[in-house]
Amino acid sequence: MNIIHSPHSFSKKSALIIFTVLLTGVAGCFFSGCSKKSSTGTSIITALDQIDRLIQLGQTQDALKLLEKTDKKSLDTQIRIGIYRRYLSLGENKRAENVIVSCRKKEPGNKSLDALYGSFLISDKRLDEALSVTKSLSGTKYSSIYAEAVLRKAVKDLKSIDFAQFCSTDYQKIYFDAWNGSGDNMWLRNCAVIHLYRGEYIDAQKLHPQTFQDARDAYFWSCVMYDCRQYAMAVSDLLKASELIKNELSDSFELKKLLAQKEFLNLKIQALLADCYISLGEDKESEQIRNQILALHSDTEQDSEFSEIENKILSVVYVNSALWSLSQDDMNAAFKLLSFAVEKWTDCVPALVAYADYSWKTSQLEMNDPMTLELRRAGVRSLDMKAFDEIPRIPLSDPVARMNASLERVKNYDLYVALLDLEDKANPDVQDKVRLSKMWNILEHNTSGTNNYPPQIARYALHTLILCHQEQQARQLFNKYLASRYKFDSAFSFTDNLFQNIHNLNLWEVEYAAYFELLEKKASLTKSLYEFVVLNEHSREGAVVQEISPASSYSAVMNLAMIYSSLNDKNKAMNLYGKLTGRISEPKQKAEILYRLAVLQNDQGLLSESVKSLKYCIYLNPGHTKASNLLLQLTK
């Protein structure tokens, strides 16, 4: 079941979360008043209390006169901070500044005074001075003041805010300082975004907080865990996000606009939760979540009010439910879901591709064995024949027309290549030279520089070359394409560049890299690449569990199992084959897995298990000669 993943909020490979550089000032006044235990005596305390009463009564001139009379440089620092605060409340900023400057001279190196003066300078918009005063606060409990000074200065100096400008290591430290001083997870999220932007997934994962501030915060960290392929952790975060968003949605005091935003957030939470369950191999749970989403959004009259991203999420939910229905042989449900999706979202690429795939597969279904033909001639239909005849069919001309119409409206390489694939499948007898000529022509018309092609076009070209047995040309094209796309450093080998950029590569690119290394019989290197593509690793009940990634192809899993076997790691190979049988429904593919599993079981002395696997293999594919011969040999 080739599940489509929902469009979530960020990651370099999907949409980046745009973070706010400045929200509100993280600095505040560190001293709200003076100490009542000052050693200067009760007369100063009495004077300050009198000043406060005058301020409250609006007698500001009298208050100022008494404050000037009370202010002495010899006073305790804490008392003078109280005087500083009262000068500020009276609008006497210059006198307030003189007090804090005097205190800093008296106690040089006092971080709390530096923080207080830095906060004053920021509020007075004297940012250069604020930077100078607060630089020493980095890494201390007052680091958020320095962070605010740096960010305000950066924003002031910029004509326009550039995302990349704020993704340097220096700024990352600033955000961490801001979080360390304020406790606001917004700053920690900024740090994580930078790590993800640079492909540093492990570092982003390490920033995961112990608690969440709200549902949006929990959803963000679930996205981080999802991008880090820590799906069990992502599920845990999403379940917490679900609880938080329920409480937030039940708040009757929310404005309508805020409620709409939170309902959208709830949609994203549930959609990502469904994707995570897929990645954990929990397909039934995923379908249950999708059904809940569809039930909540069944009133399609309201769809026009949805944003573009909301419609994208909903359309993918429909497609994934259709694919689930296909995996359960529920053709009617799949037909209804896909037909609705292509009508409702006419330019939804996943829906159009799945619709075309459904059309192709149903066009290839046949029930023309001699007995069936004889029954039909006699006007008799068995239950199987009736079920076969009732499968909804879509003529290939329908998806082709829809795809062409969409391409006229919106240029999309995924859809373009899907249409090319459909045309190739519909014309299987085309000679290789014609197929290759068409491919080179497509490459020529879709290049944006030397060896620089859209990934979808490059993938189509590689597939065509290998289909036409041009592996050497395919390898050369692939190496040049990767080097151009990811700006490989010529000072390093291709392999070194490949692993340095592996988290930036599309999974299909890594799979092709593994395939080409396999052709050259580099088993260890091939194993590492295929493991990256095939295996998801997560913790479950304290143990590390490896699952097959839903994004990995049948061939990738089979190749990895074969490599394990060749490296004499038979148990890993059998385990992988065993897991793959649960994912594959196509009879011939499943039969091949069972045959390979039977061979390994026999090698390990598991005779009865091997015989069972062979019998099931032959049941699925009676024409599997190797399985029949091995079964005959084992049961003599």
Side-chain angles (χ1 to χ4, degrees), residues 372-525:
T372 300
L373 294 175
E374 186 63 32
L375 287 172
R376 287 194 186 281
R377 279 193 291 269
V380 177
R381 282 201 308 168
S382 66
L383 290 176
D384 286 344
M385 291 166 62
K386 185 178 180 181
F388 177 83
D389 292 341
E390 290 177 355
I391 292 174
R393 268 39 176 219
I394 303 170
L396 280 177
S397 57
D398 186 0
V400 168
R402 291 178 185 275
M403 294 163 93
N404 277 317
S406 180
L407 287 169
E408 287 179 6
R409 292 188 293 268
V410 183
K411 184 176 182 179
N412 185 287
Y413 284 111
D414 287 317
L415 187 59
Y416 176 53
V417 168
L419 182 57
L420 291 173
D421 286 337
L422 187 60
E423 291 172 352
D424 289 344
K425 285 190 291 188
N427 299 281
D429 298 326
V430 173
Q431 293 183 347
D432 283 357
K433 63 179 182 180
V434 175
R435 204 180 290 273
L436 288 169
S437 176
K438 174 186 173 184
M439 180 215 73
W440 289 117
N441 187 51
I442 290 169
L443 275 180
E444 183 181 347
H445 285 86
N446 290 279
T447 181
S448 56
T450 305
N451 302 313
N452 197 358
Y453 315 105
Q456 302 90 332
I457 299 296
R459 188 178 187 180
Y460 174 78
L462 291 168
H463 172 74
T464 303
L465 285 167
I466 291 171
L467 189 67
C468 297
H469 310 290
Q470 302 293 317
E471 283 82 3
Q472 191 59 39
Q473 275 193 314
R475 177 70 193 251
Q476 291 172 1
L477 175 67
F478 178 71
N479 285 10
K480 290 176 181 178
Y481 157 76
L482 277 194
S484 174
R485 177 170 173 77
Y486 296 102
K487 298 179 174 56
F488 280 8
D489 189 339
S490 59
F492 298 96
S493 69
F494 178 84
T495 302
D496 287 341
N497 273 297
L498 180 65
F499 278 97
Q500 287 170 10
N501 290 275
I502 196 164
H503 283 286
N504 299 325
L505 269 62
N506 294 309
L507 280 181
W508 72 263
E509 292 168 336
V510 182
E511 186 174 340
Y512 265 105
Y515 171 75
F516 289 126
E517 297 302 337
L518 179 63
L519 293 181
E520 296 184 13
K521 299 181 179 179
K522 296 179 180 178
S524 180
L525 178 58

Side-chain angles (χ1 to χ4, degrees), residues 75-133:
L75 291 173
D76 181 84
T77 298
Q78 289 290 81
I79 294 291
R80 296 209 72 202
I81 293 302
I83 292 172
Y84 160 83
R85 183 180 63 82
R86 288 165 176 82
Y87 273 133
L88 283 181
S89 67
L90 291 167
E92 295 292 328
N93 286 10
K94 187 60 181 175
R95 287 189 171 92
E97 183 178 4
N98 289 338
V99 170
I100 201 67
V101 168
S102 173
C103 289
R104 289 183 71 236
K105 285 181 179 179
K106 187 177 180 181
E107 295 185 31
N110 186 316
K111 300 300 183 188
S112 62
L113 291 174
D114 291 344
L116 196 61
Y117 190 36
S119 183
F120 171 85
L121 292 169
I122 290 171
S123 64
D124 206 35
K125 299 182 180 179
R126 292 152 60 185
L127 299 178
D128 288 318
E129 294 175 73
L131 279 173
S132 176
V133 168

Side-chain angles (χ1 to χ4, degrees), residues 51 63-71 83 86-87 90:
I51 291 165
L64 181 58
K65 287 179 182 179
L66 183 54
L67 190 57
E68 289 174 338
K69 183 178 179 181
T70 306
D71 185 14
I83 292 172
R86 288 165 176 82
Y87 273 133
L90 291 167

Side-chain angles (χ1 to χ4, degrees), residues 105-239:
K105 285 181 179 179
K106 187 177 180 181
E107 295 185 31
N110 186 316
K111 300 300 183 188
S112 62
L113 291 174
D114 291 344
L116 196 61
Y117 190 36
S119 183
F120 171 85
L121 292 169
I122 290 171
S123 64
D124 206 35
K125 299 182 180 179
R126 292 152 60 185
L127 299 178
D128 288 318
E129 294 175 73
L131 279 173
S132 176
V133 168
T134 61
K135 190 173 183 179
S136 63
L137 301 178
S138 179
T140 72
K141 64 180 180 179
Y142 304 115
S143 56
S144 59
I145 305 299
Y146 174 62
E148 184 174 4
V150 171
L151 294 172
R152 287 191 182 278
K153 181 68 167 63
V155 172
K156 179 184 176 184
D157 292 346
L158 280 175
K159 292 181 180 178
S160 61
I161 295 178
D162 177 17
F163 179 83
Q165 164 87 22
F166 293 94
C167 287
S168 69
T169 304
D170 290 339
Y171 275 111
Q172 194 167 27
K173 188 175 186 302
I174 295 300
Y175 304 140
F176 192 82
D177 276 351
W179 170 76
N180 197 37
S182 68
D184 188 339
N185 279 1
M186 180 270 293
W187 298 109
L188 200 60
R189 294 199 296 268
N190 284 356
C191 294
V193 167
I194 294 175
H195 280 310
L196 292 171
Y197 180 71
R198 295 201 296 251
E200 298 163 353
Y201 294 91
I202 294 175
D203 292 325
Q205 182 183 332
K206 289 177 181 177
L207 293 172
H208 190 281
Q210 294 296 316
T211 58
F212 303 122
Q213 293 172 323
D214 51 28
R216 180 171 174 266
D217 191 34
Y219 172 72
F220 172 89
W221 290 105
S222 71
C223 290
V224 173
M225 293 300 105
Y226 185 87
D227 273 14
C228 294
R229 303 174 85 175
Q230 297 297 314
Y231 302 113
M233 280 286 291
V235 167
S236 176
D237 290 350
L238 287 164
L239 292 176

